[in-house]
Amino acid sequence: MDPEQVDEFVMGYLKKKGFNNAAKQLQEALHHNNGGTFNSTDYHNDPELTKLIRSFSQSENDPTRYRDGYSKLRSWAYNSLDLYKHELLRVMYPVFIHCYMDLVGKGHTQEARAFFNSFRKDHEMIHLRDLQKLEGVLVPSHLEEMEFARSLRQSKVNIKICQYSYDLLLQYLHRTESTLMLGIINEHINFQVYSGQPNSSSDDIDAVTIVGSFQETADHINQKEIQWGLLEDSLEDRLEKTGSLLSDSEKGQGESKDGDVDDSKKRSNEIGKQGSSLKKLKKDKAGNATAKVARQETSIVSPAPRVKPELALPVMSTDVEESILEDLRNRVQLSSVAMPSVSFYTFVNTHNGLNCASISHDGSLVAGGFSDSSIKVWDMAKIGQAGSGALQGESDTNDQNVGPNGRRNYTLLLGHSGPVYSATFSPPGDFVLSSSADTTIRLWSTQLNANLVCYKGHNYPVWDVQFSPFGHYFASCSHDRTARIWSMDRVQPLRIMAGHLSDVDCVQWHPNCNYIATGSSDKTVRLWDVQTGECVRIFIGHRSMVLSLAMSPDGRYMASGDEDGTIMMWDLSTARCITPLMGHNSCVWSLSYSGEGSLLASGSADCTVKLWDVTSSTKLTKAEEKNGNTNRLRSLRTFPTKSTPVHALRFSRRNLLFAAGALSKPAS
């Protein structure tokens, strides 16, 4: 090989790999040497350079290079010191998937499958769903046709690693001359190198993140301005202006004043009695000190700004408005030293048929959606009169389901033709919405016990449906990767929100009704403007599918729970994760903020309800902000159940926490 050929080969290689600056400098150096070659270098007699050029010029079509290079890198990483091993192993997954996709892209299908099957077990625990998607990438055309594969190819992975781990990796790659692995790492991984000792494997939720074209899109979207405040002239706003929010001691004096109540308020009165006893109990236990601490914590946060509604909101009836105002006046102030009482509704004899549960805003009604396409609604007041505390999910012929008057203790709603995946009550409790695998959403009346409307628009199973905080409007999300906004009086959707790359699994309204949030199997959460239908925020950070969402009462923060048991708190204005809340070891199915927003409750498939101190979790010291250490566990209390995964949670307006789940047989 003569010198000119060497120069041309090196120039071509640099341009092919995207090293444009290096190619430009080489070209300038060649022109500087009168258009010739480097006279000071003897290409033929320099063994190091000759060896390097030969390694570059060897056939790139040899599929065994990928397996050999990855296998050696894997062995080296697993045999490293334990102090650095967990950081070095972070590199393996992106290298693995890009080796596989490179093999597929070059047409080595059989070698790609063998490579994939040989090493997939290393990554199944954390990346099982991603691997299941990659398994379908079999031919080069799939790399462009499948959105998941295309997004991986176009993006980079951001990996945090300490300086010493980074030096170890570079030394290995250069010492072993692993040019193929070095090229993959250089092309698809960005290292964020920090000084000092490596963090523990669970310390940093942002240790591995996706960047690139998608991240650039998210950053651009997250620059949009949003109005996260509360609505003008809301009920809470009126109470604040008139000073009608009472202290705990003032509530105790006025609890028994309303003696004459019409029939429409019986349900709220039932729960009012529970709230009354709860408040007296708290006063006996904590005294005036508790009330002072609670007021101090809630007064630290600046009041939320007021915004105008973008939707034409329904007019609230006087009776409902008075009932809500009475509940708000008698709300118990919660804090880290004033815990709520929890009322847990347990479904028995469901035979694994319960898919979802929902609790009305005052806790008086409980609904369950079942795999046999039925919905059952229980009235807690009637169950209390019958003397039965369990919610039976068994067939209608079971004697335990029949009350003393010969009737069922629940209302059976039939109409869907597939499993029911979600149910939600309207704020007053007079309607129930349900969504199903039959692709429809149905509106039911709890007063008539009948189906009123069937909404058709989604093309695949509808995973979740949620009423807006003021009723009338509702949002749904589906396997078709869209979310839709509806109104009760129209059978067609008002808005369609498209943008997620996979199933949209959960949906939640913002308190001011101007936005909805959606959580997806693509591991992201998005915030949408209901007026324009545009995405105004993308929240990136979860490592598994997002299953639950909750908005803080002031509209400032959002919590999201995923399949791995991680809960992340987000600042809506900046789209940044304030803190991850780690404690659950299984799916987080439900989240709910307390009325004043000081506590967050989470329900999980690990059969526990956890309470988190939100006020302290959102306050970071300057040192923590500087070091980037935001993993502040603020778990206040854990309520374990015997063997009942928690399907639903709701704080009532008086701050009594309701929960529901189906009793399951413990694994033997």
Side-chain angles (χ1 to χ4, degrees):
M1 183 184 295
D2 59 38
E4 292 184 359
Q5 289 179 320
V6 172
D7 293 336
E8 291 177 3
F9 179 81
V10 172
M11 183 71 70
Y13 178 81
L14 292 174
K15 290 181 178 179
K16 180 180 179 182
K17 293 300 181 181
F19 303 128
N20 295 324
N21 289 336
K24 185 178 180 180
Q25 290 178 8
L26 175 62
Q27 193 168 15
E28 290 175 354
L30 290 175
H31 285 299
H32 184 68
N33 285 291
N34 299 322
T37 60
F38 296 99
N39 298 325
S40 60
T41 303
D42 187 349
Y43 290 97
H44 299 283
N45 298 324
D46 188 339
E48 290 292 329
L49 185 59
T50 304
K51 187 176 181 181
L52 184 63
I53 294 297
R54 285 178 179 173
S55 68
F56 286 154
S57 61
Q58 64 180 321
S59 173
E60 293 187 0
N61 292 323
D62 185 5
T64 60
R65 296 169 58 219
Y66 288 91
R67 187 186 188 93
D68 293 343
Y70 180 82
S71 181
K72 290 177 181 178
L73 179 62
R74 174 179 176 273
S75 299
W76 173 80
Y78 274 101
N79 291 324
S80 300
L81 291 175
D82 290 342
L83 182 62
Y84 307 104
K85 182 190 296 186
H86 69 272
E87 286 198 335
L88 296 172
L89 288 177
R90 292 172 186 167
V91 179
M92 299 311 301
Y93 178 66
V95 172
F96 168 74
I97 59 175
H98 285 291
C99 282
Y100 173 70
M101 289 191 289
D102 281 356
L103 285 169
V104 171
K106 294 178 180 180
H108 304 298
T109 304
Q110 292 184 353
E111 291 82 357
R113 298 304 305 164
F115 173 83
F116 187 85
N117 293 329
S118 297
F119 302 109
R120 67 174 296 169
K121 290 184 178 179
D122 295 345
H123 313 287
E124 281 184 342
M125 183 176 294
I126 300 177
H127 304 285
L128 178 60
R129 291 187 177 274
D130 288 352
L131 294 177
Q132 290 172 345
K133 294 177 183 177
L134 275 177
E135 217 168 3
V137 180
L138 300 174
V139 294
S141 60
H142 289 172
L143 296 173
E144 294 298 325
E145 295 170 358
M146 295 178 64
E147 289 186 31
F148 177 71
R150 189 169 68 248
S151 66
L152 286 177
R153 299 279 277 184
Q154 294 174 352
S155 303
K156 280 194 172 186
V157 178
N158 225 0
I159 296 180
K160 287 185 178 179
I161 192 170
C162 76
Q163 184 67 52
Y164 194 74
S165 299
Y166 181 71
D167 292 340
L168 284 175
L169 178 62
L170 287 185
Q171 288 173 14
Y172 165 79
L173 293 172
H174 286 293
R175 186 181 70 252
T176 58
E177 297 180 358
S178 304
T179 54
L180 182 62
M181 296 297 105
L182 180 61
I184 291 174
I185 290 172
N186 181 70
E187 189 173 355
H188 299 290
I189 298 178
N190 282 336
F191 288 105
Q192 289 186 339
V193 182
Y194 61 90
S195 58
Q197 292 295 316
N199 295 327
S200 65
S201 56
S202 61
D203 258 3
D204 194 351
I205 198 73
D206 296 323
V208 181
T209 55
I210 300 293
V211 297
S213 58
F214 180 69
Q215 182 68 51
E216 292 171 3
T217 303
D219 290 341
H220 176 71
I221 290 175
N222 292 341
Q223 291 175 1
K224 296 180 180 179
E225 183 180 357
I226 64 169
Q227 304 294 329
W228 55 264
L230 297 179
L231 288 181
E232 294 178 349
D233 201 34
S234 63
L235 294 180
E236 292 87 349
D237 201 17
R238 289 186 219 169
L239 285 176
E240 287 183 10
K241 289 178 180 178
T242 59
S244 298
L245 285 173
L246 305 179
S247 65
D248 284 352
S249 58
E250 292 171 324
K251 292 175 195 171
Q253 298 172 3
E255 276 170 6
S256 58
K257 62 181 180 181
D258 292 333
D260 298 324
V261 186
D262 58 38
D263 292 339
S264 66
K265 299 180 184 177
K266 284 183 179 178
R267 289 173 182 164
S268 61
N269 278 345
E270 290 290 331
I271 307 306
K273 293 176 183 177
Q274 300 176 39
S276 175
S277 61
L278 167 66
K279 286 174 276 186
K280 291 176 182 176
L281 179 62
K282 289 187 180 301
K283 284 183 285 185
D284 292 338
K285 286 184 177 180
N288 293 331
T290 298
K292 288 180 181 178
V293 172
R295 283 194 293 272
Q296 287 173 359
E297 290 196 3
T298 54
S299 63
I300 291 173
V301 182
S302 59
R306 297 303 189 254
V307 299
K308 294 181 179 180
E310 294 182 357
L311 295 174
L313 298 179
V315 178
M316 192 177 297
S317 68
T318 305
D319 289 344
V320 172
E321 185 174 312
E322 286 299 322
S323 176
I324 294 175
L325 286 172
E326 181 65 21
D327 287 339
L328 293 177
R329 289 190 191 101
N330 290 280
R331 174 183 289 165
V332 178
Q333 288 285 26
L334 301 179
S335 70
S336 58
V337 294
M339 296 286 102
S341 290
V342 184
S343 177
F344 200 102
Y345 299 142
T346 303
F347 293 81
V348 297
N349 298 326
T350 61
H351 302 297
N352 298 321
L354 182 73
N355 292 332
C356 64
S358 181
I359 305 166
S360 63
H361 287 251
D362 61 2
S364 62
L365 297 175
V366 178
F370 294 85
S371 296
D372 62 1
S373 76
S374 68
I375 302 159
K376 297 174 184 178
V377 180
W378 285 264
D379 190 325
M380 292 297 104
K382 293 179 180 178
I383 287 184
Q385 293 170 3
S388 171
L391 308 183
Q392 295 286 336
E394 181 69 336
S395 63
D396 300 342
T397 58
N398 192 323
D399 292 340
Q400 293 180 338
N401 289 332
V402 182
N405 57 359
R407 295 185 177 181
R408 301 190 198 100
N409 286 333
Y410 61 82
T411 301
L412 182 65
L413 304 176
L414 297 175
H416 283 294
S417 59
V420 178
Y421 291 128
S422 180
T424 181
F425 285 97
S426 61
D430 50 353
F431 297 106
V432 177
L433 277 170
S434 60
S435 65
S436 169
D438 63 12
T439 75
T440 67
I441 303 162
R442 289 181 180 267
L443 179 70
W444 312 81
S445 169
T446 57
Q447 298 171 345
L448 303 175
N449 297 329
N451 182 217
L452 303 180
V453 189
C454 179
Y455 302 94
K456 299 179 180 179
H458 287 289
N459 301 317
Y460 291 94
V462 185
W463 300 130
D464 194 16
V465 61
Q466 293 292 329
F467 262 115
S468 76
F470 294 89
H472 187 68
Y473 299 100
F474 59 94
S476 62
C477 58
S478 167
H479 177 59
D480 62 15
R481 300 185 292 185
T482 68
R484 303 179 188 225
I485 294 177
W486 314 69
S487 64
M488 290 170 55
D489 57 352
R490 295 176 181 269
V491 295
Q492 297 296 327
L494 305 178
R495 295 287 184 275
I496 299 177
M497 282 74 169
H500 280 292
L501 304 179
S502 188
D503 292 38
V504 186
D505 299 302
C506 53
V507 64
Q508 189 60 254
W509 285 83
H510 191 275
N512 64 22
C513 293
N514 291 338
Y515 304 96
I516 64 166
T518 54
S520 170
S521 294
D522 65 12
K523 307 176 188 177
T524 68
V525 180
R526 290 178 180 244
L527 191 71
W528 308 83
D529 188 314
V530 299
Q531 185 63 35
T532 63
E534 292 182 354
C535 177
V536 293
R537 288 290 183 274
I538 300 179
F539 304 90
I540 303 172
H542 281 286
R543 298 184 184 177
S544 59
M545 60 192 296
V546 182
L547 300 176
S548 54
L549 295 167
M551 293 283 185
S552 64
D554 63 0
R556 190 190 306 257
Y557 304 111
M558 176 179 66
S560 56
D562 65 23
E563 188 181 32
D564 292 339
T566 301
I567 302 167
M568 303 188 78
M569 280 194 59
W570 308 90
D571 186 326
L572 293 185
S573 59
T574 62
R576 293 184 179 277
C577 176
I578 299 169
T579 179
L581 304 175
M582 317 286 285
H584 288 294
N585 53 35
S586 188
C587 309
V588 179
W589 282 340
S590 186
L591 294 166
S592 180
Y593 277 93
S594 60
E596 75 293 320
S598 62
L599 299 181
L600 174 69
S602 59
S604 170
D606 63 9
C607 302
T608 63
V609 174
K610 287 183 179 290
L611 290 176
W612 308 85
D613 185 0
V614 174
T615 53
S616 59
S617 295
T618 54
K619 291 181 238 172
L620 298 178
T621 64
K622 291 183 178 180
E624 286 172 325
E625 288 180 350
K626 185 177 180 181
N627 297 333
N629 182 19
T630 60
N631 187 14
R632 300 157 53 88
L633 300 186
R634 287 293 179 266
S635 179
L636 295 175
R637 188 83 179 271
T638 298
F639 299 94
T641 64
K642 185 176 181 180
S643 184
T644 305
V646 184
H647 281 78
L649 286 174
R650 182 183 292 280
F651 272 101
S652 70
R653 296 187 186 98
R654 299 194 180 198
N655 267 345
L656 179 61
L657 178 58
F658 295 99
L663 183 67
S664 61
K665 293 182 179 180
S668 56

